[in-house]
Amino acid sequence: MDLRLRDTVVLVTGASRGLGAEIALALAGEGAHVVATARSKESLDDVAARGGGRVSVIEADMRDEASVAGLADEVVARHGRIDGLVNNAGIAPAGRFVDQDPAIWKDAMAVNVIAPMLLAQAAGRHMIAQGGGRIVNVASTTGVRGKPYLVGYSTSKGAVVRLTEALAAEWAAKNVQVNCVAPGAFRTDAQRAVLESPDLLERRVAKIPAGRMADPAELVPLACLLLSPLSSFTTGAIFVVDGGESGKL
């Protein structure tokens, strides 16, 4: 199926590894012009090298509000437009809630909520002016169902879910679709501690009805579809991709 992504322009955050890198490379494979951003220039350059000349990079820290707010303008300066935005960058501080310093929460909110808000706002202005666009926010199953020892992360990803729904309702008439994917347990660097411990891995997999963790490539087709004109009537949706984990009693 042709997703009609050729020569569209998409900004992907957190694109130096994991889900972000896989999404960026898949979009490039569909013929899109991808601007990949993250803190690690070296890792971004590795992704760009695999992107067939269709991936350019911008080094940026999602904690730097001024830098984040200017990313969409930089994309438009390079390519003349911005058709898609993937808000993928995120951090997941873990620990006992009663012991957590408020600074940890502020950091999580800065990266997981404020940065996507600023990016959506800046990109949205261009999308509305050009007649449309698509935004995909990457949340988490912990934003749909709370998880102990990840209270700050769960709270921030819950905010991403509400941001998605509210923006979708506000911008539907402007032909800007806003959707959210909520991944469960994927085999990425963020899960390294689990993947490297047979005991932890066994216990984690036991909670998943599908009986395994997912490969990052298993999220890519959905993300690409949501960035495609083919999904122009889909907005405000939250797609949980977790092997059935959050659906069980």
Side-chain angles (χ1 to χ4, degrees):
M1 178 183 290
D2 180 6
L3 294 179
R4 302 179 192 172
L5 288 167
R6 177 161 295 278
D7 293 329
T8 58
V9 179
V10 184
L11 172 63
V12 183
T13 72
S16 62
R17 60 182 183 173
L19 297 176
E22 292 292 335
I23 292 170
L25 291 170
L27 289 168
E30 292 288 333
H33 299 290
V34 180
V35 179
T37 184
R39 288 186 295 170
S40 172
K41 179 68 161 54
E42 183 177 354
S43 296
L44 284 172
D45 287 341
D46 288 341
V47 173
R50 296 159 56 198
R54 288 188 169 269
V55 178
S56 61
V57 306
I58 302 176
E59 185 178 2
D61 188 335
M62 293 296 107
R63 297 170 179 82
D64 183 343
E65 292 187 13
S67 177
V68 168
L71 283 172
D73 290 342
E74 176 62 24
V75 172
V76 174
R78 291 185 183 188
H79 296 285
R81 60 187 295 113
I82 179 168
D83 300 294
L85 165 65
V86 181
N87 276 315
N88 170 72
I91 57 174
R96 297 199 324 154
F97 173 67
V98 293
D99 298 326
Q100 282 191 330
D101 190 304
I104 294 174
W105 273 60
K106 291 178 181 178
D107 203 33
M109 293 296 169
V111 175
N112 298 350
V113 182
I114 301 301
M117 179 276 290
L118 290 171
L119 283 162
Q121 188 178 58
R125 291 191 184 106
H126 290 288
M127 291 175 180
I128 290 168
Q130 71 194 22
R134 283 157 290 281
I135 297 173
V136 174
N137 294 320
V138 179
S140 165
T141 50
T142 65
V144 179
R145 300 275 181 95
K147 188 170 184 178
Y149 305 107
L150 284 170
V151 180
Y153 181 64
S154 294
T155 302
S156 68
K157 289 302 187 177
V160 170
V161 170
R162 297 285 87 81
L163 172 68
T164 298
E165 294 170 337
L167 273 185
E170 184 166 331
W171 286 350
K174 304 294 185 182
N175 192 32
V176 176
Q177 291 85 51
V178 187
N179 291 290
C180 180
V181 293
F186 276 71
R187 301 178 69 90
T188 66
D189 285 347
Q191 296 291 327
R192 182 177 299 172
V194 173
L195 294 170
E196 293 180 349
S197 168
D199 181 57
L200 287 177
L201 181 59
E202 181 180 4
R203 282 189 283 161
R204 184 68 187 90
V205 167
K207 299 177 182 179
I208 305 171
R212 63 180 178 86
M213 294 177 71
D215 185 85
E218 293 181 275
L219 189 72
V220 166
L222 174 60
C224 288
L225 177 61
L226 293 175
L227 292 162
S228 161
L230 298 180
S231 64
S232 58
F233 200 63
T234 302
T235 195
I238 315 301
F239 294 91
V240 175
V241 185
D242 69 350
E245 184 175 5
S246 62
K248 67 180 182 179
L249 292 174

